[in-house]
Amino acid sequence: AQTVTQSQPEMSVQEAETVTLSCTYDTSENNYYLFWYKQPPSRQMILVIRQEAYKQQNATENRFSVNFQKAAKSFSLKISDSQLGDTAMYFCAVPRGSNYKLTFGKGTLLTVNP
Amino acid sequence: DVKVTQSSRYLVKRTGEKVFLECVQDMDHENMFWYRQDPGLGLRLIYFSYDVKMKEKGDIPEGYSVSREKKERFSLILESASTNQTSMYLCASSLGSTVSNIQYFGAGTRLSVL
């Protein structure tokens, strides 16, 4: 069974600094994508970034980047130049089964302090 | 942009009532999902549907049923609401069965059962 572990239930960072959220997973899939989703307070969940497991190059979206270590099954999210609007719950997700479904981690609550 | 709309943001019901949570997506997505989100537990899949009238149980289907009579609409039904079903409910949709498919989420329905 797929498992996704986010070992940091809560984190905080000062505005403009860099923070890394960790995620480890276990999957039996061969070709898959990994996802980070963000859920701001009282707002809907949106995709932050995704990584194709077969690509060696780490994905980057503006201030967000991943550190993907396939052998270690680790998929961390780095947020550079943190902004107050980055305050949110962050979920790591891994596909399972028929690629329809995702297994989500329990989330990391990130607070960006002014 | 994909839009996933959940009919209610907040809902208060009595124990034993039959409750309907409605979700509509406007992007002709094949897949639709219902999740339950509880603090410290992350997102747990209740049911998902990969086509009209097709459904599959998720990880926690007990006490719930679903209906998908039209492609754009996916309903979650609590046959007899109980206090332990007080939670945030999230609907999501995705396109087809490609590896890279992204799930798009609604804003959520916070249900309180008294």
Side-chain angles (χ1 to χ4, degrees):
Chain A
Q2 274 81 358
T3 58
V4 181
T5 302
Q6 293 181 248
S7 58
Q8 306 142 315
E10 293 188 37
M11 296 186 73
S12 63
V13 65
Q14 293 299 122
E15 200 174 4
E17 292 187 350
T18 295
V19 64
T20 299
L21 282 59
S22 67
C23 174
T24 58
Y25 65 95
D26 187 17
T27 180
S28 56
E29 303 299 321
N30 292 317
N31 184 22
Y32 56 94
Y33 276 72
L34 300 157
F35 303 87
W36 277 99
Y37 282 87
K38 166 185 177 180
Q39 186 181 38
S42 301
R43 292 174 59 188
Q44 68 196 90
M45 185 115 63
I46 57 172
L47 179 70
V48 175
I49 196 166
R50 61 177 177 168
Q51 170 79 42
E52 185 176 4
Y54 270 77
K55 282 192 175 176
Q56 293 189 349
Q57 186 174 5
N58 289 322
T60 299
E61 290 284 344
N62 301 314
R63 297 182 296 106
F64 298 87
S65 61
V66 303
N67 182 6
F68 177 47
Q69 305 288 331
K70 189 174 183 180
K73 294 187 176 176
S74 170
F75 178 57
S76 60
L77 175 69
K78 186 171 88 170
I79 305 173
S80 304
D81 186 25
S82 297
Q83 300 176 359
L84 297 178
D86 295 333
T87 291
M89 195 73 154
Y90 288 82
F91 293 95
C92 174
V94 178
R96 59 173 172 167
S98 58
N99 294 321
Y100 298 125
K101 297 182 284 188
L102 295 174
T103 298
F104 287 83
K106 294 184 178 179
T108 296
L109 178 60
L110 176 67
T111 302
V112 180
N113 298 308
Chain B
D1 280 352
V2 175
K3 191 162 185 182
V4 180
T5 303
Q6 294 184 232
S7 54
S8 305
R9 286 300 303 271
Y10 301 95
L11 213 51
V12 179
K13 296 293 182 181
R14 296 284 180 191
T15 302
E17 278 192 77
K18 190 169 186 175
V19 181
F20 293 85
L21 302 183
E22 305 286 345
C23 176
V24 177
Q25 50 94 2
D26 66 356
M27 282 301 290
D28 204 34
H29 282 175
E30 285 81 7
N31 306 319
M32 296 189 75
F33 308 83
W34 275 107
Y35 293 93
R36 174 175 170 158
Q37 182 180 10
D38 298 289
L41 297 179
L43 273 71
R44 294 179 292 168
L45 181 65
I46 304 172
Y47 266 98
F48 86 101
S49 169
Y50 50 91
D51 202 349
V52 175
K53 297 188 187 290
M54 305 303 288
K55 61 187 179 185
E56 191 172 308
K57 292 180 180 179
D59 301 313
I60 52 165
E62 296 78 19
Y64 304 94
S65 62
V66 291
S67 172
R68 193 167 180 200
E69 296 296 319
K70 293 185 177 181
K71 192 174 186 179
E72 66 270 19
R73 186 180 297 271
F74 191 36
S75 304
L76 180 69
I77 304 158
L78 287 66
E79 296 289 344
S80 177
S82 64
T83 55
N84 63 13
Q85 293 178 309
T86 291
S87 187
M88 170 70 91
Y89 290 87
L90 299 180
C91 176
S93 72
S94 70
L95 179 65
S97 61
T98 59
V99 172
S100 61
N101 73 75
I102 298 167
Q103 290 191 16
Y104 297 87
F105 286 82
T109 296
R110 187 166 293 282
L111 173 66
S112 296
V113 182
L114 306 178

